[in-house]
Amino acid sequence: MADEQIKPWVKQLLELGPTLAFFLLYLRIKDDTFTYGGTEYSGFIVATVAFVPILLVAMAVLWHLTGKLSRMQIFTAVMVIFFGALTAWFNDERFFKMKTSIVYATFAALLGIGLLRGRSYLEFVMGEFLPMEHAGWMILTRRLFALFLGLALANEVIWRTMSDTTWVTIETFGFPVVMFLFLWIQIVGLQRYLIEDKNEG
């Protein structure tokens, strides 16, 4: 089923649905305490543990429908599983909260390594889908490096200084909205580097 096309809304539902499910479940059980094997777990911990299989099922369905998963999706899933397991094992919600910082910091580090070598790893991964001059890719890579680094630092400040509900809300809606707006602004601002536009002219 490789390269099969699915409706955009189905793809978006499978990609964003698990996070929204986590948010709704957390709101429903955030004030509850659950006892398993003689150990008490907060609603946050239980919602985190439930999020892992929900995410895996959504990814399995997406893979079944399209025949592929992006490297970013796979990496994020691995991090969710790893830190979700640590959260449950140690009964400590900090592991899951730190996951977001580590994911963003890893993306920033990878882009930063490429920039130090005078390359855009972003162009290597996405160049096939968005034909753009190398100069444009370098600009976008530098800006995304700064964005990911900023999001990692912001997450550290938020989860360490704000309530669980605030963090969950920002994790579910705030960071994705920032990412969407950032990418939209970049696409508009880098129009002159798009190869398609230059050919049309």
Side-chain angles (χ1 to χ4, degrees), residues 20-30 43 46-47 50-51 54:
L20 182 58
F22 167 72
F23 174 76
L24 295 175
L25 178 59
Y26 167 77
L27 291 182
R28 174 68 179 80
I29 65 174
K30 64 178 181 177
V46 173
F51 173 62
I54 293 173

Side-chain angles (χ1 to χ4, degrees), residues 11 14-15 55 59 62-63 66 68-80 107:
K11 187 172 185 292
L14 292 171
E15 291 178 343
L55 176 66
M59 289 185 64
L62 183 62
W63 178 80
T66 66
K68 60 184 177 181
L69 294 171
S70 69
R71 293 183 179 90
M72 182 179 295
Q73 289 172 320
I74 295 173
F75 173 73
T76 301
V78 170
M79 297 295 283
V80 167
F107 290 153

Side-chain angles (χ1 to χ4, degrees), residues 77-133:
V78 170
M79 297 295 283
V80 167
I81 294 170
F82 179 70
F83 284 97
L86 289 179
T87 298
W89 182 263
F90 292 103
N91 197 14
D92 190 338
E93 62 193 34
R94 292 177 298 177
F95 287 106
F96 195 69
K97 294 176 180 178
M98 287 188 291
K99 175 266 304 176
T100 300
S101 301
I102 294 174
V103 168
Y104 287 140
T106 300
F107 290 153
L110 291 174
L111 295 179
I113 291 172
L115 290 172
L116 290 175
R117 300 179 62 186
R119 301 178 59 186
S120 169
Y121 291 155
L122 195 64
E123 180 180 9
F124 174 74
V125 174
M126 299 181 60
E128 177 182 354
F129 307 101
L130 183 62
M132 185 164 59
E133 295 177 8

Side-chain angles (χ1 to χ4, degrees), residues 2-3 34 37 52 54 81 94 100 102 120 146 154 165 178 184 187 195:
D3 298 325
F34 302 83
V52 175
I54 293 173
I81 294 170
R94 292 177 298 177
T100 300
I102 294 174
S120 169
T165 300
V178 169
W184 182 78
I187 291 174
I195 294 174

Side-chain angles (χ1 to χ4, degrees), residues 29-35 39-43 46:
I29 65 174
K30 64 178 181 177
D31 297 322
D32 298 333
T33 300
F34 302 83
T35 302
T39 301
E40 291 188 349
Y41 297 91
S42 67
V46 173

